[in-house]
Amino acid sequence: MNHLPTFDDVIAASKRLEGHARRTPVMTSRTLDDAMDAQVFFKCENFQRMGAFKFRGAFNALSQFSPEQKRAGVVAFSSGNHAQAIALSARILGIPATIVMPRDAPKTKVDATRGYGGHVVMYDRYTEDREQIGRDLAEQHGLTLIPPYDHPHVLAGQGTTAMELFEDVGELDALFVCLGGGGLLSGCALATRALSPACRIYGVEPEAGNDGQQSFRSGQIVHIDTPNTIADGAQTQHLGQLTFPIIQRDVDDILTASDTELVECMSFLAERMKLVVEPTGCLGFAAARQMKDELRGKRIGVIISGGNVDMARFASLLIS
Ligand SMILES: *Cc1c(COP(=O)(O)O)cnc(C)c1O
């Protein structure tokens, strides 16, 4: 393994993000603290630019492009938050962005990506391989491919989320982080080991796709089929070559949450805290609620990773 990112890379990322990323608020609920008999601090990345923490990693990566890379442009494949994060960061930095998206991606996501100035290339998710399309575009046009999680600059950028949380509230006893491919979790783990060394860190993934838990417990990266879950930001099939060793070294355990629990959390956050959170963004909170007995009297951090859910879907999930 050539060198893994460290907390110094997270600090460098936070300097690059200054004046570009929003320093998102930390929110609390007295009702919840009473119910949990603990202190819960939510780091609200649903208020980040483009609606999720992914802006941090994307901006940190693009702002380190060489002049030639900037001129040629960036390519990313994603139907979700990474696409919008790359498109917005590229626009801010004056870099052309090409985003490879499935033809059946939600119109709102395609429109949002185009709205940020991204050039969208469609593919058929049943007959074409998006990674191949991305690589071909990169090769033919000299574009730089930025993956959604397995990249040192991406995960260092994501780590600024936990760094800000510890700067704002001090040391914690436990931190719960949503887990897909592990960019957010590995970056936050680097910040946690530096700023609150005794804090227990948990990654939380959908019950239907617990490849991260299987990998963590078996000691090697486990691949699964795309899981069927409402947590569409965490439908990844495997952890990354960079994210996995950091998670193995610095994370305490990987937990899971069911779709039913995610909906209960969305409902609580909307009703009690007036927060619109997408299903994936509730993973950390769902696991913290499961551990109520062990967490009594503790100071707990929960990362709310994003709030991009269209209102019709939000409403239908809550009434289902
Ligand atoms: C991408 C994403 C995740 C998962 O992040 P990874 O870095 O892939 O683990 C969680 N929540 C939201 C809202 C996301 O967009």
Side-chain angles (χ1 to χ4, degrees), residues 125-137:
R125 74 161 97 207
Y126 301 101
T127 60
E128 294 177 294
D129 174 4
R130 65 177 192 175
E131 301 199 17
Q132 191 58 47
I133 294 172
R135 273 195 300 271
D136 288 350
L137 283 166

Side-chain angles (χ1 to χ4, degrees), residues 50-54 80-82 148-150 154-155 158 177-186 232-236 239 243 247 278-283 304-308:
M50 56 60 57
F53 71 90
K54 289 243 174 33
N81 289 331
H82 179 61
Y149 54 88
D150 207 20
V154 171
L155 75 87
Q158 319 306 32
V177 183
C178 314
L179 171 61
L184 181 62
L185 178 60
S186 59
D232 51 355
Q235 281 178 310
T236 39
L239 298 178
T243 60
I247 289 169
E278 62 184 280
T280 316
C282 294
L283 284 163
I304 302 250
S305 55
N308 289 330

Side-chain angles (χ1 to χ4, degrees), residues 7 10 14 22-28 39-45 56 158-177 184 188-189 191-192 195-196 199-201 299-304:
F7 182 56
V10 181
S14 78
R22 192 166 288 155
R23 189 175 184 103
T24 52
V26 176
M27 300 186 69
T28 57
Q39 268 184 292
V40 182
F41 301 95
F42 289 102
K43 175 68 171 167
C44 295
E45 287 295 294
R56 298 173 181 268
Q158 319 306 32
T160 60
T161 312
M163 181 179 167
E164 290 176 6
L165 175 62
F166 291 117
E167 285 173 352
D168 286 357
V169 305
E171 295 198 30
L172 295 169
D173 298 306
L175 178 65
F176 294 84
V177 183
L184 181 62
C188 287
T192 305
L195 299 177
S196 184
C199 178
R200 296 184 67 82
I201 316 174
R299 288 165 49 82
I300 305 155
V302 171
I303 294 183
I304 302 250

